[in-house]
Amino acid sequence: MSARRLFRRFAEGTSRQAGKPMAFILAVALVVAWAATGPLFGYGDTWQLVINTSTTIITFLMVFLIQSSQNRDTAALQIKLDELIRTSQAHNALLNLEELDEDDLDRIRKHYCKLAHQAYGSLSTIEQELRDMHDDEGKGDSAG
């Protein structure tokens, strides 16, 4: 098995486990155990250094593992969205939007916000039609 594949599996597994309630419970238990040993070590600098160093190292390593998993998930999601765009009536120009700079994205976002604003008028019409359909169904049930 390649090192890349091994790292990917390790990163995904670690990220998955870190997001479970048991991981949180374990972290709380470790902090409680550390706090309980405070009187034993006289709340000294070494005692404080243990928790500070431990949490710093764990956080530092977890950032890379979680980022690796997140990058892979984002890439897979982007491919799925691109395929939906490609096979639908949507504009193929929307493929690879993530490659555009902020100004281009803002311009496109404003265009879609304008379209959404125009569609809000249709929303009230659709809601009224749904209410009318619901009212008609209710009348049909009581007449039978």
Side-chain angles (χ1 to χ4, degrees):
M1 182 178 291
S2 71
R4 181 177 284 197
R5 175 174 262 162
L6 188 63
F7 176 75
R8 180 179 57 86
R9 290 182 65 191
F10 177 74
E12 288 173 356
T14 303
S15 295
R16 196 175 310 109
Q17 293 303 318
K20 292 188 176 183
M22 187 50 80
F24 179 76
I25 291 168
L26 178 62
V28 169
L30 286 172
V31 170
V32 168
W34 168 79
T37 62
L40 182 65
F41 294 102
Y43 300 103
D45 290 343
T46 303
W47 174 78
Q48 292 178 27
L49 189 61
V50 166
I51 195 72
N52 290 340
T53 304
S54 300
T55 56
T56 300
I57 290 170
I58 291 169
T59 302
F60 179 75
L61 295 175
M62 288 301 292
V63 164
F64 293 103
L65 293 176
I66 292 171
Q67 188 63 50
S68 173
S69 295
Q70 190 67 40
N71 288 347
R72 187 174 184 286
D73 290 347
T74 300
L77 183 60
Q78 189 62 52
I79 292 168
K80 291 175 185 179
L81 290 172
D82 286 347
E83 179 63 9
L84 289 173
I85 291 168
R86 190 188 66 77
T87 60
S88 72
Q89 297 296 320
H91 298 286
N92 284 341
L94 296 177
L95 295 169
N96 288 333
L97 279 179
E98 66 277 5
E99 302 298 326
L100 298 178
D101 63 24
E102 287 296 317
D103 292 336
D104 290 334
L105 289 175
D106 285 341
R107 185 174 41 80
I108 294 168
R109 186 179 301 117
K110 286 177 185 174
H111 170 71
Y112 280 99
C113 286
K114 183 179 175 183
L115 291 175
H117 184 69
Q118 291 170 353
Y120 286 139
S122 302
L123 186 59
S124 61
T125 303
I126 292 169
E127 289 173 339
Q128 183 59 48
E129 289 175 2
L130 288 172
R131 281 193 293 273
D132 291 345
M133 282 178 23
H134 181 68
D135 289 344
D136 290 343
E137 289 173 2
K139 290 177 185 174
D141 290 343
S142 62

